[in-house]
Amino acid sequence: MSTISHDVPIGSGWRRSDGRVGLRNHVIAFSTVALTDRITSLAAARVKGVLPICPAFQRGLRGADAALQANMIKAVIAHPNVGAALIVTHDRAAAETLEADCLELGKPIIVLSLIAQAGMQSAQDAMVAHLQALKAEIAESPKTALHFSDLTVALECGGSDATSALAANPAIGRFVDRLIAAGGTAIVSETAEFLGGEAVIRAQSQSEAIAQDILGYLCIEEQMMRSDGTNYRGVNPTAENIEAGLSTLTEKTMGAFCKIGSNRFAGALPFGERPPVAGLHFMHTPFFSPTSLTGMVLGGAQISLFAMGVYNPSGMPLAPTVKICGNPKTLSNWPDGIDLDVSEIITGGSDYDDAANTILKLIGEIAGGKDTRAEEWREGQIIIPISQLPL
């Protein structure tokens, strides 16, 4: 396995005031509550190049749910791929709180309270003017060298089949070996998909304490899965996994583990938390891919590597999603939805090192402005797990 020095640039990006580097310099129109989603999306549509973020966030949450949503709102605004932001909320009090939260972020931010405006058209026109001003303000933002040590990469898989374990997942794993060796960071999630892999977690953790932290999340997940009387291990793989050739959850789990390569876990994270140190991290998330991607990206990942067997339309708008597939049928049926064909690994025309080299090259191109397929189709959602709905 070849390694790459910390000092060798792999692309370029925008360095933020907190030291992180963005692969994108998005101007976002961010609606922080569902009440303002529609007007925010309408205003964003009127300014070319603006990224609308309208995740139908709620009012009235309490306890851990309220704290999580508040933290994720801050994480969206602070994300390194965000260069400037128009933040829209409903009431004046929320706007004042958000303005205070944004003071130290070191990027152009405008907070607008909808209720403080005078009419829907007037409010929308004001939002458009703000977005145009933000675009102009960051239009000439200088770029800086991007190194492996600047990267945090989200690792995801979906629509798993036999080719996932033979091609796409281990190709990502070989890339992750190089990333971690050069001082980078990776996050892997979907707690339920690790059930059955407890022995691997123990073997591939830097310490027994880290292993126990991860296994504790697995225990919580399995207890939750059994709470309705259902044996989760008996209903996963899903129907499409079974149709594609998988037979047990453990089989699916072992394929998913290929994404982490030979690395040892450096930590276990709750949903959406930033890794405190470089290296490989486990994040506790639901198994629905848009939700797990949300957790990892809001935990700081600037890009996602998504292995698939059967096609999966997931993504996360803030970070480019690179879709990697080794299933010839999926590649034939979905040529405009997949970024990287690794099917020749199965036929012998390529190997994992070739695929890792191509992933690296593709990341450099994406940092240079190349859109992923998910970005072209504007795929993806921001979904956070809410445990209790307000009554």
Side-chain angles (χ1 to χ4, degrees):
M1 180 190 73
S2 62
T3 59
I4 297 179
S5 166
H6 294 244
D7 300 324
V8 176
I10 60 173
S12 60
W14 291 267
R15 190 167 297 280
R16 308 305 179 192
S17 61
D18 62 3
R20 294 186 291 173
V21 177
L23 273 65
R24 293 287 183 260
N25 199 33
H26 288 305
V27 174
I28 63 169
F30 180 25
S31 170
T32 61
V33 62
L35 294 169
T36 58
D37 280 4
R38 177 58 178 164
I39 193 169
T40 302
S41 64
L42 289 172
R46 291 173 54 188
V47 185
K48 185 177 180 180
V50 167
L51 179 66
I53 303 293
C54 302
F57 283 159
Q58 299 182 53
R59 298 179 86 186
L61 297 178
R62 294 291 183 268
D65 290 337
L68 176 63
Q69 182 169 283
N71 287 337
M72 295 303 93
I73 287 172
K74 296 175 188 177
V76 169
I77 304 164
H79 194 276
N81 286 351
V82 173
L86 170 65
I87 307 168
V88 184
T89 191
H90 180 251
D91 59 277
R92 294 179 179 86
E96 290 173 0
T97 298
L98 287 166
E99 284 177 341
D101 290 340
C102 295
L103 287 176
E104 298 180 358
L105 292 182
K107 61 180 70 173
I109 294 171
I110 297 171
V111 181
L112 182 145
S113 163
L114 180 61
I115 206 167
Q117 309 306 305
M120 291 293 285
Q121 189 62 57
S122 175
Q124 187 184 143
D125 291 344
M127 293 164 66
V128 168
H130 288 318
L131 291 169
Q132 290 171 334
L134 290 169
K135 279 198 67 180
E137 186 168 353
I138 68 165
E140 303 300 326
S141 299
K143 298 188 76 172
T144 188
L146 173 73
H147 299 82
F148 254 137
S149 55
D150 294 314
L151 274 182
T152 298
V153 178
L155 310 178
E156 183 67 39
C157 57
S160 300
D161 65 5
T163 70
S164 299
L166 293 171
N169 282 334
I172 290 173
R174 186 61 54 89
F175 170 81
V176 172
D177 285 341
R178 298 183 184 183
L179 170 71
I180 301 301
T185 300
I187 307 172
V188 66
S189 65
E190 294 196 30
T191 307
E193 303 301 309
F194 284 80
L195 295 172
E198 290 82 358
V200 180
I201 290 170
R202 292 188 181 95
Q204 288 193 229
S205 293
Q206 293 182 4
S207 69
E208 178 62 22
I210 292 171
Q212 289 303 316
D213 286 343
I214 299 172
L215 293 173
Y217 282 131
L218 265 63
C219 182
I220 292 169
E221 188 75 10
E222 187 150 32
Q223 289 175 353
M224 185 270 290
M225 290 292 182
R226 290 180 179 273
S227 64
D228 63 354
T230 301
N231 179 1
Y232 180 74
R233 297 182 191 233
V235 298
N236 194 330
T238 60
E240 65 267 26
N241 297 144
I242 294 169
E243 183 179 354
L246 300 185
S247 59
T248 67
L249 176 58
T250 299
E251 186 178 54
K252 184 178 179 181
T253 296
M254 292 302 104
F257 264 112
C258 295
K259 296 195 300 294
I260 70 172
S262 61
N263 300 283
R264 294 177 178 271
F265 288 106
L269 306 169
F271 186 92
E273 183 171 295
R274 285 173 59 180
V277 297
L280 173 68
H281 293 262
F282 176 90
M283 181 177 286
H284 178 45
T285 75
F287 67 86
F288 187 41
S289 52
T291 314
S292 60
L293 284 169
T294 295
M296 293 185 287
V297 171
L298 294 188
Q302 305 109 312
I303 193 166
S304 302
L305 301 181
F306 195 130
M308 60 184 58
V310 178
Y311 184 70
N312 187 309
S314 294
M316 203 288 195
L318 277 180
T321 301
V322 181
K323 298 193 174 181
I324 302 170
C325 182
N327 183 320
K329 183 177 180 181
T330 303
L331 289 158
S332 176
N333 290 343
W334 298 89
D336 56 355
I338 295 169
D339 299 283
L340 180 58
D341 175 354
V342 293
S343 60
E344 287 193 358
I345 291 174
I346 298 171
T347 61
S350 181
D351 61 25
Y352 299 135
D353 283 322
D354 291 335
N357 289 335
T358 305
I359 292 170
L360 173 59
K361 179 176 181 289
L362 188 53
I363 289 176
E365 292 172 351
I366 290 167
K370 177 183 176 69
D371 282 343
T372 64
R373 296 294 194 179
E375 288 178 305
E376 290 174 358
W377 290 109
R378 298 198 172 189
E379 288 180 326
Q381 307 81 27
I382 293 180
I383 303 175
I384 62 173
I386 299 297
S387 59
Q388 295 180 352
L389 297 177
L391 298 178

